Amino acid sequence: MPRGRRTTVATEGVKPEPGAGRFYMISVVSKAYGIHPQTLRLYEREGLLKPSRTDGNTRLYSEEDLRQLEVILNLTRDLGVNLAGVEIVLNMRHKMEQMQQEVGEFVTWVRQELARDAQEGWQERLQQALVRLPPTPLARASPEAARGPKAQPPGPAGG
């Protein structure tokens, strides 16, 4: 079979992490999604897709790459977003996913702290953490300060 004409899933000599799933060559992806291979190459040049490569430098698209491609095609075909807009949307999605992960980690930490406090007696820890201070009188301004600054006597004349 001529080089570049295979339509089977290529997994031999692949550098991606083991057990990551199946990988597809550019010809298979372009036919499956009805787009030209040059369009896929353009998306890669623009940084929208990052397919892995074999030792022979053949692009291999993972399942995650295909999900990303579906988002790109939805934005461009269905919503009319240009590639600059697609990049912004993808970056925002990535940041939102990071934030969701961070919030999830924070919620887990708060739950662990609450559980620990429930076991250790939080009221006792709270009493030990507070420092009692005697009440202090409120500072009041003197009547002179309330009237404003004093007028300075005029300096020597004729300078």
Side-chain angles (χ1 to χ4, degrees), residues 1-153:
M1 185 174 294
R3 184 176 176 198
R5 295 287 183 187
R6 293 178 289 158
T7 58
T8 59
V9 176
T11 56
E12 191 174 318
V14 178
K15 292 180 185 178
E17 59 271 359
R22 301 176 68 165
F23 296 91
Y24 304 91
M25 293 176 61
I26 193 169
S27 59
V28 174
V29 174
S30 67
K31 286 179 187 173
Y33 287 93
I35 56 178
H36 198 278
Q38 284 293 1
T39 305
L40 290 169
R41 293 182 188 104
L42 171 67
Y43 292 165
E44 184 180 1
R45 272 194 312 273
E46 294 293 324
L48 303 176
L49 284 177
K50 295 176 181 83
S52 56
R53 301 281 186 137
T54 64
D55 290 333
N57 213 25
T58 301
R59 291 174 178 84
L60 293 178
Y61 294 87
S62 67
E63 298 291 335
E64 179 61 31
D65 293 328
L66 298 183
R67 283 190 289 276
Q68 180 95 335
L69 176 61
E70 289 171 4
V71 171
I72 294 168
L73 293 176
N74 180 41
L75 289 169
T76 56
R77 288 178 176 173
D78 301 339
L79 301 176
V81 178
N82 64 17
L83 293 185
V86 170
E87 182 179 13
I88 291 169
V89 170
L90 293 177
N91 287 337
M92 290 179 70
R93 281 176 54 125
H94 179 70
K95 288 180 183 179
M96 286 176 52
E97 289 168 0
Q98 283 181 325
M99 288 173 48
Q100 286 176 337
Q101 181 181 354
E102 290 173 8
V103 167
E105 291 170 2
F106 177 70
V107 168
T108 300
W109 177 80
V110 168
R111 286 184 179 150
Q112 290 171 348
E113 288 296 309
L114 289 173
R116 186 175 65 98
D117 287 345
Q119 291 173 351
E120 294 177 2
W122 64 272
Q123 292 171 338
E124 187 178 307
R125 288 183 55 213
L126 180 63
Q127 290 297 324
Q128 293 172 355
L130 293 178
V131 176
R132 295 185 187 266
L133 296 175
T136 59
L138 293 175
R140 294 187 183 202
S142 66
E144 292 174 3
R147 282 184 241 150
K150 290 184 179 181
Q152 295 291 328

